[in-house]
Amino acid sequence: MDQERLYALLAREMAGELTAEEANTLQQLLQQYPDASYIREVFAQNWVPAGKQYGPSQVQQLLEKHQLRLQAASLPEETPVTDIAPPRKVWKLYTAIAASLLVLVSLGAWFLRQRPAQKPAPLAQLVTAKRMRSQILLPDGSRVWLNAGSKLDYPEQFAPHSPREVHLEGEAFFIVAADAERPFRVYTKAFRVHVLGTSFNVRAYPLEDSAVASLVQGAVEVILNNDSKQVVALRPNEKLTIPVHPVTTEATTAAPIPTMAALQKSKLTLVQDSIIPETAWVQNKLAFKHLELEKVVVMLEEWYGVKIDFRNNNKRKLYFTGVFETESLEQVLNAMENTQSFTWEKDNTGKIWIR
Amino acid sequence: MRKDEQIKSLFQRVCCDDNIQAYNELYIALCTRLIHFSASIVSSFHLAEEIVSDVFIALWQKRNDLLHVENPVVYLYVSTKNLSLNTLQQQKRHQHHALDHINPDMLSIAPEAENGMVSAEVSQKIERAIRSLPARCQVIFRLIKQDRLSYREVATLLNISSKTVDAQLTIAVKKISQAIRFDLSDEVAQTFLRIDS
């Protein structure tokens, strides 16, 4: 019976449930059964799963996969076209407008176009108007959120064994489905991005003086469209800002030739919680961190579809940080005005002036 | 030895401070244990990885409502158990009220062979001894030995008494001890006994 007692005490010792009194009893029993100390030592060893095992690198992969799933779960539900930030009171009015725009956009979206050269694969195009955003699932399972006033060209079917290529004008957030055989490439005027499986944001509006690639997860390479074809590798939570000559309405030939010196690689930083300003738009949030008022104003113009200008140019370089979700333009401007650093007014054409 | 305090502090930082770094560390600290546990219920590692990921997604989404959770480890195990059973129910379209169809192969553990203490032969003998135990007994052994849960935590998770946990664990220890005690002629064991005495 002493043996039964020994097993019970070895079990409790392993579970960390041994009392001081039981520890004494165990010591005595171990002297009685010297071979039991070997068994005791075996139980004290580090054991490993006999079947499937996850090593540190697999755990890292699990974490990355989980982060993508978390991100996808935190994003708004899939809707073909979303209307941005209309205050809830006038919802009905906007439904009518949204419905008619939806028809227009869908006509544009599924408009097929033959590519001039080699590839016969039919192209599809998704276009978003100002104040509109859209989300699509590409044929390979990759998901794309297209921000306002943007255009994405993609083939209806990606060819097997060759890179998956899409062309972007404007801003989009990508969660790319992994496929080692077919790397994913995003082409813009200023650069192209090579991807394996990852999530990242590309901002390349033709009227802006810089193009930005921001990486949230995975790894991408950004290849500039200048003579040097310079390659810049991005790591998670880094962004690359490339100065370009904005395309003016008259001169469409102005080629974007960034100089290496002006390239700027920086870290993505959180505004609050888990909100990264570069990708907040995907979650229907307007976010900016330590940003000059003149740039905030451009975001507000896009977001609310209004015109904003400065009466007092000194105010352009004021810095602001903020996150907004359902607030109206007036609420946003009032909140910023509360810092006592500027005032704003609306003229009778609806244009907003900052002074 | 036990990392309970560290896990509690990570959990607190997730729930009170919305700290994503702590959240990632918590995932790394617990994911494989929970995946093995879930796999024993749904009989698939692939499915178990998704279930545990869903458990952690729910944790992030509900984090501000979880300040009252006293034992984060048990909370995550119970969530994993419930979600695994739900998944099984959806898949097989019949009721699983309890852990009655557990697949202990997913939970099998053994001492690391050739670490100086245990030969590959002894390690295999232990593995066989564990596999010969009743499923519930195997689960309890795994949760105590590998996952380092306490009697009370296992009791809560499996809806049994601490006494039952103690009795089942003793059965496992006895079975394993008997499997290797005839092996004291084993060279490695002999060396050890000589050093010890």
Side-chain angles (χ1 to χ4, degrees):
Chain A
M1 280 307 98
D2 271 359
Q3 283 213 9
E4 295 296 320
R5 182 89 180 123
L6 178 66
Y7 297 136
L9 292 180
L10 284 175
R12 274 175 219 170
E13 184 184 46
M14 182 178 71
E17 305 269 355
L18 208 60
T19 65
E21 198 186 326
E22 287 170 333
N24 281 334
T25 318
L26 179 61
Q27 278 306 328
Q28 289 163 13
L29 285 171
L30 285 173
Q31 281 161 11
Q32 220 174 309
Y33 301 96
D35 54 345
S37 21
Y38 174 69
I39 292 165
R40 183 194 190 206
E41 193 58 34
V42 169
F43 280 119
Q45 291 288 303
N46 193 27
W47 291 27
V48 291
K52 189 182 175 75
Q53 268 187 55
Y54 292 94
S57 64
Q58 279 115 315
V59 170
Q60 193 56 39
Q61 279 172 11
L62 283 173
L63 176 66
E64 277 166 25
K65 220 195 272 177
H66 168 68
Q67 284 168 331
L68 284 180
R69 294 182 85 239
L70 175 67
Q71 200 163 37
S74 318
L75 295 170
E77 286 295 297
E78 180 173 359
T79 41
V81 174
T82 339
D83 189 8
I84 304 167
R88 290 199 174 125
K89 293 161 245 165
V90 286
W91 190 78
K92 277 189 183 156
L93 172 70
Y94 277 105
T95 323
I97 299 167
S100 53
L101 274 172
L102 189 128
V103 174
L104 282 175
V105 171
S106 337
L107 278 175
W110 312 112
F111 179 72
L112 299 184
R113 214 182 54 178
Q114 217 50 27
R115 228 186 178 184
Q118 74 280 71
K119 284 195 179 159
L123 278 180
Q125 188 176 55
L126 182 65
V127 182
T128 47
K130 280 218 166 185
R131 294 178 53 87
M132 304 294 287
R133 260 182 275 139
S134 171
Q135 188 203 130
I136 49 159
L137 194 62
L138 295 181
D140 64 329
S142 299
R143 194 169 284 286
V144 183
W145 285 258
L146 200 61
N147 206 350
S150 303
K151 195 169 82 182
L152 183 77
D153 289 291
Y154 60 96
E156 283 202 310
Q157 204 60 53
F158 289 113
H161 313 298
S162 55
R164 296 166 283 174
E165 294 177 345
V166 300
H167 293 256
L168 173 70
E169 200 177 287
E171 180 164 26
F173 180 77
F174 296 85
I175 295 186
V176 172
D179 184 345
E181 272 211 331
R182 301 182 297 170
F184 196 94
R185 292 178 184 169
V186 183
Y187 288 82
T188 74
K189 279 233 157 63
F191 57 79
R192 63 178 196 269
V193 184
H194 285 194
V195 189
L196 273 171
T198 190
S199 59
F200 61 101
N201 195 71
V202 172
R203 185 181 173 104
Y205 281 109
L207 294 173
E208 290 185 352
D209 62 2
S210 64
V212 185
S214 310
L215 179 64
V216 178
Q217 286 286 320
V220 300
E221 276 181 349
V222 180
I223 296 115
L224 304 187
N225 287 354
N226 59 7
D227 294 334
S228 70
K229 300 278 174 224
Q230 190 188 353
V231 178
V232 183
L234 284 190
R235 302 165 60 142
N237 293 320
E238 281 184 350
K239 70 172 178 180
L240 184 70
T241 306
I242 300 132
V244 291
H245 302 303
V247 181
T248 58
T249 30
E250 305 92 62
T252 43
T253 47
I257 308 165
T259 56
M260 276 184 226
L263 283 181
Q264 199 195 335
K265 197 163 160 181
S266 49
K267 286 267 174 209
L268 300 180
T269 51
L270 304 179
V271 198
Q272 68 171 43
D273 291 8
S274 54
I275 298 168
I276 302 169
E278 281 75 5
T279 58
W281 66 271
V282 182
Q283 295 170 43
N284 260 333
K285 290 189 173 76
L286 175 70
F288 40 87
K289 182 164 190 179
H290 195 67
L291 198 67
E292 298 103 310
L293 188 55
E294 61 178 358
K295 290 193 174 157
V296 174
V297 157
V298 173
M299 291 175 87
L300 293 175
E301 284 183 327
E302 268 171 32
W303 199 260
Y304 293 101
V306 291
K307 284 271 164 221
I308 305 177
D309 211 341
F310 289 85
R311 288 214 201 277
N312 179 348
N313 281 328
N314 293 336
K315 303 294 185 189
R316 287 177 183 273
K317 297 295 175 195
L318 293 172
Y319 284 85
F320 285 90
T321 297
V323 180
F324 297 97
E325 193 167 1
T326 53
E327 286 83 353
S328 68
L329 174 64
E330 285 73 21
Q331 286 171 322
V332 174
L333 286 170
N334 288 337
M336 291 168 60
E337 190 182 39
N338 274 340
T339 62
Q340 313 273 329
S341 49
F342 71 87
T343 58
W344 66 279
E345 64 191 15
K346 196 187 264 188
D347 71 13
N348 44 23
T349 65
K351 186 168 180 172
I352 286 163
W353 292 93
I354 284 169
R355 50 204 247 151
Chain B
M1 204 44 194
R2 293 185 60 139
K3 294 184 173 170
D4 276 17
E5 289 312 311
Q6 194 195 339
I7 293 204
K8 269 190 188 146
S9 126
L10 288 174
F11 194 83
Q12 194 138 33
R13 274 156 64 205
V14 172
C15 297
C16 300
D17 315 334
D18 302 323
N19 187 319
I20 190 91
Q21 189 64 37
Y23 174 81
N24 290 341
E25 283 176 40
L26 194 66
Y27 179 86
I28 287 174
L30 293 173
C31 73
T32 57
R33 292 158 54 169
L34 295 172
I35 287 170
H36 273 99
F37 181 58
S38 172
S40 76
I41 302 172
V42 298
S43 290
S44 153
F45 278 103
H46 182 76
L47 207 53
E49 286 171 16
E50 279 188 6
I51 288 167
V52 171
S53 172
D54 285 342
V55 166
F56 274 88
I57 287 171
L59 165 65
W60 184 253
Q61 288 171 341
K62 293 192 293 185
R63 63 191 184 278
N64 297 327
D65 305 326
L66 299 177
L67 300 164
H68 65 280
V69 170
E70 274 178 30
N71 189 328
V73 174
V74 168
Y75 173 80
L76 288 168
Y77 269 93
V78 170
S79 304
T80 303
K81 179 182 85 171
N82 292 341
L83 198 55
S84 304
L85 289 172
N86 281 348
T87 309
L88 205 60
Q89 198 175 321
Q90 280 167 10
Q91 275 196 337
K92 298 194 174 161
R93 307 217 171 271
H94 62 75
Q95 293 277 332
H96 285 265
H97 286 299
L99 300 166
D100 44 11
H101 290 283
I102 214 148
N103 182 351
D105 287 355
M106 305 298 202
L107 296 177
S108 175
I109 51 170
E112 224 169 338
E114 317 293 1
N115 68 351
M117 263 297 302
V118 181
S119 69
E121 262 179 271
V122 169
S123 179
Q124 275 166 23
K125 277 195 176 136
I126 289 175
E127 206 189 315
R128 272 203 299 276
I130 294 176
R131 282 184 200 273
S132 74
L133 291 164
R136 202 172 59 158
C137 190
Q138 291 190 47
V139 176
I140 290 167
F141 182 74
R142 159 80 183 215
L143 291 174
I144 300 270
K145 170 71 184 109
Q146 189 72 2
D147 298 5
R148 303 204 165 275
L149 298 191
S150 69
Y151 278 5
R152 239 186 58 196
E153 289 168 340
V154 175
T156 312
L157 177 61
L158 301 182
N159 288 325
I160 52 179
S161 68
S162 290
K163 252 192 138 132
T164 310
V165 177
D166 185 47
Q168 293 285 312
L169 191 69
T170 303
I171 293 173
V173 167
K174 180 179 175 181
K175 190 93 186 172
I176 294 163
S177 305
Q178 287 173 342
I180 55 175
R181 86 171 317 147
F182 299 107
D183 247 287
L184 293 178
S185 55
D186 186 275
E187 202 181 316
V188 186
Q190 281 299 321
T191 319
F192 174 80
L193 285 175
R194 248 174 272 138
I195 293 169
D196 199 53
S197 54

